[in-house]
Amino acid sequence: MPWSNQSGGGWKSGGGPWGQPPSGGGGGGDRGGRGGGGGPQPDLEEILRRGQDRLRQSLPGGGGSGWLIGFLILGLTLLVVAWSSVVVVDTDEVGVVLRFGKYERQLEPGLHVHLPYPIERVLLPKVTRKNRLEIGGGSTGSRPQESLMLTGDENIVDIDFVVIWKISNAPDYLFNVQNPEGTVRDVAESAMREVVGRSNIGRILTEDRTKTERAVQELMQGTLDRYKTGVNIEEVQLQKVDPPSQVIDAFRDVQAAKADQERLQNEAEAYANKVIPEARGEAEQILQQAQGYRDRAIAEAQGEADRFSKIYDAYKTAPDVTRKRIFIETMQEVLTNQDKVILDDKSGPGVVPYLPLSEIKKPSTGTNSTSGGGQ
């Protein structure tokens, strides 16, 4: 039977022997990239109809050669089927083959052949591309409600952060979650609120930024793994961490006062750490000096006692000799440093004694003058 276009061809107006194919070709929107051989599937009915019309116009006689038209249509159909059976997987992609809508296998980067549509189609998600998701008001202020969070010490903090993620399991990413990007956004916001709710605002603004990023990343990854989303969180970056704009000036004044308080405390501790060791050192020095003086006094007293005992023992043995010796030694000690004037009685009455009183009265230096004057 010759081909006729009056009733939409040999197929019903529904389109093709299998019905109208999906308009997107099974690409999964932005989730799967290209699909079904690298692009939207062709509308076979439309292609055949256009080819029929062109052949009718080109052949003489207005289409008397129906067999030739059928042959050309068959060839064109085979060409389209062959073209839809070839898919090229890029280096940053992985091919996910669906057979009658059910997951069948994966294709590595390169040129591959599969069964034609609608038996099989191929989804091509970008598995090596790092996706960037900004959460919070940011510079655009489009979602400011995401950035306001309550801390553990009941303060409000304004946080903008970025989540870097990529696909780790293509089938899970395509089939387990309807909206992967929205899921990542919701999980990121929930994880950040949980971590911030366990922290104080002062530590979040200062030394706990890195700790907060790591805690949010671990919490997000655990949640997404339980959902089997096929998403791997590469990094969480805090962009802005500030108090709300309405109270930021007052908050900065409070932070400056706390910084001054900490500085003064540190200075006081440094002064105490300097003075206390010095006082302890001086006290130890005084104790050591007292100990030395005590030991010296005891030693001298012990030496005097031993000397007296030895003299007493010698006195008992030879009293006269010992008494005379003590007298001589005592006089020698007393008169050694004294100024002496000796007058000879034999000089006669003609000698007038001369006493150099000015020299005698002249004070001597050191301990000798003191002991001589006393004597």
Side-chain angles (χ1 to χ4, degrees), residues 116-296:
Y117 178 84
I119 300 176
E120 287 186 351
R121 61 173 177 159
V122 181
L123 305 180
L124 301 171
K126 305 284 187 179
V127 295
T128 61
R129 182 179 62 187
K130 291 187 177 182
N131 303 279
R132 178 184 177 91
L133 182 63
E134 296 184 0
I135 301 176
S139 58
T140 61
S142 58
R143 301 171 66 96
Q145 68 277 8
E146 291 180 342
S147 61
L148 296 178
M149 303 182 184
L150 187 65
T151 63
D153 53 354
E154 298 182 354
N155 285 298
I156 297 178
V157 64
D158 190 1
I159 296 180
D160 294 345
F161 62 102
V162 174
V163 177
I164 308 297
W165 61 278
K166 68 178 183 179
I167 302 173
S168 60
N169 188 303
D172 289 346
Y173 174 79
L174 293 173
F175 309 128
N176 287 350
V177 183
Q178 183 177 8
N179 184 7
E181 183 172 347
T183 301
V184 172
R185 176 180 292 275
D186 294 339
V187 171
E189 182 180 351
S190 175
M192 181 62 73
R193 292 187 184 278
E194 180 176 346
V195 173
V196 170
R198 299 196 301 257
S199 306
N200 295 333
I201 187 172
R203 299 184 64 86
I204 295 176
L205 296 177
T206 54
E207 66 266 21
D208 279 358
R209 292 176 64 95
T210 303
K211 182 179 178 181
T212 301
E213 293 173 347
R214 185 169 57 252
V216 172
Q217 179 180 355
E218 293 175 355
L219 186 58
M220 285 186 63
Q221 191 64 62
T223 303
L224 294 173
D225 289 344
R226 287 196 301 271
Y227 291 161
K228 295 182 179 180
T229 59
V231 172
N232 182 59
I233 304 300
E234 295 288 319
E235 188 177 3
V236 175
Q237 301 174 354
L238 290 176
Q239 300 295 311
K240 183 189 72 173
V241 183
D242 290 323
S245 57
Q246 297 84 350
V247 298
I248 189 170
D249 293 335
F251 185 84
R252 286 175 178 172
D253 292 340
V254 173
Q255 293 300 111
K258 289 183 178 179
D260 292 339
Q261 179 184 7
E262 293 180 357
R263 178 177 57 81
L264 294 175
Q265 288 179 350
N266 293 334
E267 291 178 356
E269 291 178 357
Y271 178 74
N273 293 334
K274 175 184 177 182
V275 172
I276 291 176
E278 290 180 355
R280 289 177 178 173
E282 292 177 358
E284 185 66 22
Q285 181 181 4
I286 294 172
L287 290 176
Q288 293 294 334
Q289 291 177 353
Q291 184 72 23
Y293 176 76
R294 185 194 66 177
D295 295 341
R296 180 170 59 84

Side-chain angles (χ1 to χ4, degrees), residues 95-106:
V96 179
V97 180
L98 304 181
R99 180 173 296 175
F100 297 113
K102 181 181 179 181
Y103 170 73
E104 178 67 22
R105 65 187 184 278
Q106 293 189 40

